[in-house]
Amino acid sequence: MTSARDEVLTRIRTALGDGRATPADVARDYRQADDRSPGDPALLDLLVDRLEDYKASVLRCGPGDVAATVARALDDGLGTGWAAAGVLAAPGVPVEWRPDGAAADDGRPPGQLADVAASVTGVAVAIAETGTLVLDGTPLSGRRALSLLPDCLVCVVEAAQVVGTVPEALRRLDPVRPLTMISGPSATSDIELERVEGVHGPRTLLVVVVTT
Amino acid sequence: MTGTVPGPAPTFLGLPTAPRGVGHLRGDEPFPDAARTALRDGQLRANLGHATSTIRAKRATVVGEVPDWEQLRAAGKALKAATMARLDEHLLELETRVTERGGTVHWARDAREANEIVTRLVQATGTHEVVKVKSMATQEIGLNEALEAAGVDVFETDLAELIVQLGQDKPSHILVPAIHKNRAEIREIFLRTMPSVDADLTDEPRRLAMAARAHLRERFLRARVAISGANFAVAETGTLAVVESEGNGRMCLTLPQTLVTVMGIEKVVPTWRDLEVFLQLLPRSSTGERMNPYTTTWAGVTPGDGPQEFHLVLLDNGRTAVLADEVGREALHCIRCSACLNVCPVYERAGGHAYGSVYPGPIGAVLSPQLTGVEDNASLPYASSLCGACYDVCPVAIDIPSILVHLRAEHVEAQQRPTPEGVAFRALAKVMADPRRWRLAQRAARAGRLLARGRPTLPAMPPPLSGWTRSRDLPTPPAETFTQAWVREHGS
Ligand code: SF4
């Protein structure tokens, strides 16, 4: 008996026929990159504008103030008086970025991350034009469950990671890593098209942009 | 399970279409009858009108922001055509890469086989429940019914799909499947079907969404198996991509131990770089956002992050029959954005259920009859006024009107006898062949009526449906293809 695999492949070959056309070259005459180079102040402004348009909150700071700014973001997201024990950072997030008392992800079973109030991660790249942060599963971004289960997510973006366009971002990413592209908090418009922010993913997205 | 229902006639080149008796590609009644029922439903029409006009406006705004939209669109079209021309090679490469990365690839000739494979995989894990992220392919094959028949509980996790599932209803739109339900109806469904729901639940959308969050949270955390579809699969890297909004997709793709992804064979793209085109085209065309809230990509299995067992099921179910049709194969380029639904005057009035298939609207009118064989969805190629709006918004520039005309000709030919319809087509072919007469016909906008004359059902439609044929402009005529085909098939 022929296997399904062989049969489907044979069907495809039959459908295409013997004299199948050589596919025409694909003209990639769309924009390959923004005119502005990564980290350009105008790109940062654009990123912030797009993030805020999607109801993310954005704070900016210099390289020396990251931990304090993350703490301020958490004031926003969790309310002042939050407990550092409820905040977990991706393992590769530098200690200087972590608010006092926040621990690094210890690889606990993913289900337990649902009890964590907030998580702090870095990103692999950010796309200004679409307001997108990309996490790539490296220690800086953390595993996927870490940016998913806690209800509040703080992402720290460094200026040099901000590119203008989607093609530039994809070129910087490793396609075999598990990637998560995040544009605003989770949302639904399924009920009478009224947008509700925050369904299953974090209901609050806070972004700290580090400028030099 | 086989044998009771005669299969549809094999098409062209003998390639089998999607089998009867399984899945959701065929309606219970022809489109005009179903549309007539829908037209009597004022609530449905109001909801649809609101939904389609809102999404249309959002789409237009974000598409207008992109200076190179037409170049992206042309690239999308060219990429899809190039992929189809080497579909076998790309699928084999995808299989190799996914396997290298620790995944297992399965091939399914049709809906029945795909359902059997998935059921077997789920049963092998010993679990009796699965969480599921919205997927057109699994709706097409009727996977939920198959799993339930095998004693597996299926939890749809997309909010709209959950509403549809709990209400024992059918989806009516690709993007917003529960758009035919209003907030009061949704509240009523939740109160009736969610065991632990707060009795004070109001019909405020935020409260309803939070009720769904609470209802599903625990299921996500305990689920051992998830089932998904895929928007794209990259052959050269073995990367799968799912585009979504709510985070239910991320839950399904991240938390369970086992992930089973069911994907139509046409979803493969050759290279990682190709996603730079589609990830720009899809969100703007679909939800009218610059980028959807969440896109997840993964390649096989990643130790310590996400499912540790991954199965990819590659589904034919009539797709190769579509591929065999040189005109119709363009329907396989569809990236399921639903933009064509939102601009279609027929969809806006008739609603998604009238199409009888999980693929409604203009794309459904060209895809469903090809997947099933045109005789099983004979009225769908007529469910259009050929106004061309679907082509204009399609992010991969599928020429839906030309495929519709092509399928109508095929349907007429299938009947193999001189019908009034055949006469009407002959007349239309003449008009289309003569540019001067064509322009006249366009100005008078009578060609639609001409087309419909042979079908007792279409002209009988009540207002406002009768308005399509009165007031639509026809698109630039696909005169060459159609006329040539006509002459070849019928003589001049
Ligand atoms: S046919 Fe085009 S417009 Fe319609 S759903 Fe498919 S990709 Fe979108």
Side-chain angles (χ1 to χ4, degrees):
Chain A
M1 216 180 89
T2 14
S3 70
R5 178 179 187 271
D6 291 346
E7 190 166 332
V8 172
L9 289 168
T10 305
R11 288 178 187 175
I12 293 170
R13 288 166 190 149
T14 308
L16 291 172
D18 294 333
R20 59 168 91 175
T22 314
D25 279 344
V26 176
R28 296 188 190 260
D29 52 359
Y30 50 85
R31 290 171 307 151
Q32 295 298 322
D34 199 279
D35 300 338
R36 297 157 289 195
S37 45
D40 186 292
L43 285 182
L44 301 187
D45 290 345
L46 184 60
L47 176 71
V48 171
D49 176 75
R50 298 289 148 94
L51 284 166
E52 287 175 343
D53 195 28
Y54 289 147
K55 308 287 183 284
S57 312
V58 187
L59 295 172
R60 302 197 203 207
C61 68
D65 292 328
V66 181
T69 313
V70 168
R72 270 206 294 137
L74 289 166
D75 288 346
D76 264 12
L78 301 176
T80 44
W82 46 271
V87 178
L88 210 55
V93 166
V95 181
E96 318 83 79
W97 289 8
R98 276 194 239 152
D100 280 346
D105 181 15
D106 50 7
R108 63 190 79 176
Q112 291 180 16
L113 295 170
D115 305 324
V116 172
S119 54
V120 180
T121 76
V123 307
V125 60
I127 310 169
E129 209 170 86
T130 57
T132 304
L133 313 176
V134 189
L135 277 58
D136 67 355
T138 50
L140 179 62
S141 295
R143 55 182 165 149
R144 286 177 285 174
L146 181 67
S147 55
L148 175 63
L149 287 169
D151 204 11
C152 173
L153 171 63
V154 183
C155 289
V156 182
V157 180
E158 293 179 281
Q161 296 180 306
V162 181
V163 300
T165 63
V166 173
E168 289 165 89
L170 291 199
R171 281 199 292 275
R172 288 180 166 216
L173 292 163
D174 179 352
V176 302
R177 295 213 61 86
L179 303 177
T180 306
M181 305 185 187
I182 300 177
S183 309
S186 65
T188 184
S189 300
D190 279 345
I191 301 167
E192 296 186 12
L193 290 186
E194 194 165 299
R195 190 175 164 98
V196 176
E197 268 89 28
V199 194
H200 303 294
R203 284 181 279 195
T204 309
L205 174 65
L206 303 148
V207 184
V208 173
V209 178
V210 187
T211 47
T212 37
Chain B
M1 292 269 301
T2 48
T4 47
V5 193
T11 46
F12 206 57
L13 300 178
L15 293 169
T17 47
R20 289 176 181 153
V22 57
H24 302 286
L25 286 170
R26 297 165 175 86
D28 302 330
E29 51 181 358
F31 179 82
D33 299 336
R36 202 175 290 120
T37 314
L39 281 167
R40 284 195 213 104
D41 186 341
Q43 174 74 54
L44 173 69
R45 283 228 310 283
N47 290 3
L48 278 172
H50 171 62
T52 53
S53 62
T54 307
I55 307 175
R56 267 200 313 269
K58 283 179 72 186
R59 175 201 164 273
T61 307
V62 297
V63 165
E65 277 178 8
V66 182
D68 52 348
W69 185 255
E70 285 308 321
Q71 286 90 326
L72 285 167
R73 196 171 171 243
K77 183 187 182 86
L79 281 169
K80 284 292 185 181
T83 308
M84 294 310 145
R86 292 277 180 273
L87 188 57
D88 46 350
E89 294 164 20
H90 299 310
L91 290 170
L92 287 171
E93 191 179 8
L94 176 68
E95 180 186 47
T96 306
R97 297 290 163 258
V98 169
T99 311
E100 279 172 2
R101 307 264 328 151
T104 309
V105 177
H106 310 258
W107 300 69
R109 279 167 277 223
D110 58 26
R112 216 166 258 129
E113 192 164 37
N115 288 338
E116 280 164 13
I117 293 168
V118 179
T119 306
R120 199 164 14 85
L121 291 171
V122 172
Q123 285 172 333
T125 67
T127 189
H128 295 287
E129 63 176 50
V130 298
V131 286
K132 202 160 156 272
V133 47
K134 175 172 171 323
S135 124
M136 300 301 299
T138 58
Q139 280 171 32
E140 170 191 326
I141 62 177
L143 179 62
N144 290 10
E145 289 89 333
L147 286 171
E148 272 152 20
V152 177
D153 288 334
V154 181
F155 294 99
E156 288 288 355
T157 63
D158 178 80
L159 178 54
E161 293 295 337
L162 177 72
I163 295 166
V164 166
Q165 187 184 41
L166 294 176
Q168 299 190 325
D169 195 356
K170 286 182 184 164
S172 64
H173 189 285
I174 294 178
L175 173 68
V176 276
I179 198 61
H180 56 290
K181 291 277 184 234
N182 64 25
R183 57 182 75 189
E185 293 170 303
I186 295 166
R187 171 178 175 268
E188 187 275 323
I189 292 170
F190 282 10
L191 282 176
R192 186 159 44 81
T193 57
M194 287 181 178
S196 53
V197 77
D198 180 359
D200 299 330
L201 183 69
T202 66
D203 65 4
E204 192 198 330
R206 166 160 296 279
R207 293 284 307 275
L208 294 169
M210 290 312 116
R213 176 186 166 101
H215 176 75
L216 288 173
R217 191 82 177 178
E218 173 216 347
R219 298 213 158 71
F220 284 132
L221 292 174
R222 73 169 188 232
R224 284 156 57 198
V225 179
I227 296 172
S228 84
N231 293 94
F232 307 101
V234 180
E236 70 170 356
T237 56
T239 310
L240 279 287
V242 166
V243 170
E244 53 130 0
S245 295
E246 295 172 11
N248 61 309
R250 292 186 65 194
M251 292 281 184
C252 291
L253 300 169
T254 308
L255 295 179
Q257 180 67 18
T258 301
L259 171 64
V260 182
T261 299
V262 181
M263 175 190 115
I265 51 175
E266 80 283 18
K267 295 279 171 239
V268 68
V269 298
T271 70
W272 172 247
R273 197 180 170 195
D274 300 335
L275 289 190
E276 73 189 20
V277 174
F278 295 113
L279 288 180
Q280 294 191 71
L281 290 171
L282 179 56
R284 292 185 196 255
S285 301
S286 179
T287 50
E289 293 167 306
R290 299 185 185 105
M291 191 64 94
N292 49 289
Y294 293 137
T295 296
T296 297
T297 71
W298 73 99
V301 168
T302 306
D305 191 344
Q308 296 302 296
E309 194 179 327
F310 172 56
H311 297 274
L312 176 63
V313 181
L314 298 172
L315 173 73
D316 180 353
N317 207 37
R319 284 162 176 77
T320 47
V322 184
L323 187 66
D325 185 322
E326 281 179 37
V327 177
R329 67 168 61 136
E330 218 180 84
L332 296 176
H333 298 183
C334 174
I335 57 173
R336 311 273 188 267
C337 74
S338 74
C340 59
L341 278 62
N342 300 325
V343 296
C344 179
V346 178
Y347 176 84
E348 184 171 291
R349 288 163 180 79
H353 292 158
Y355 294 78
S357 155
V358 293
Y359 303 110
I363 182 60
V366 293
L367 188 58
S368 310
Q370 296 198 82
L371 289 172
T372 62
V374 75
E375 71 281 8
D376 276 14
N377 267 307
S379 60
L380 284 185
Y382 299 89
S384 161
S385 64
L386 301 181
C387 74
C390 47
Y391 172 62
D392 293 339
V393 294
C394 178
V396 289
I398 300 175
D399 187 355
I400 295 177
S402 291
I403 307 177
L404 285 166
V405 171
H406 170 76
L407 293 177
R408 290 177 191 185
E410 198 174 280
H411 171 229
V412 173
E413 188 203 14
Q415 293 182 323
Q416 292 278 338
R417 54 174 196 275
T419 57
E421 200 165 54
V423 175
F425 265 98
R426 202 175 297 260
L428 181 67
K430 270 214 182 92
V431 175
M432 282 179 161
D434 175 338
R436 191 183 55 85
R437 246 187 284 172
W438 177 239
R439 279 196 303 273
L440 279 173
Q442 270 192 308
R443 200 169 308 142
R446 286 174 58 98
R449 281 215 274 202
L450 191 59
L451 265 177
R453 186 167 295 156
R455 297 187 62 77
T457 41
L458 272 182
M461 280 197 181
L465 228 54
S466 60
W468 325 329
T469 48
R470 207 169 48 232
S471 58
R472 295 291 146 210
D473 284 338
L474 280 159
T476 313
E480 292 290 288
T481 333
F482 179 78
T483 314
Q484 283 166 356
W486 189 263
V487 169
R488 180 169 42 76
E489 287 159 9
H490 298 265
S492 53

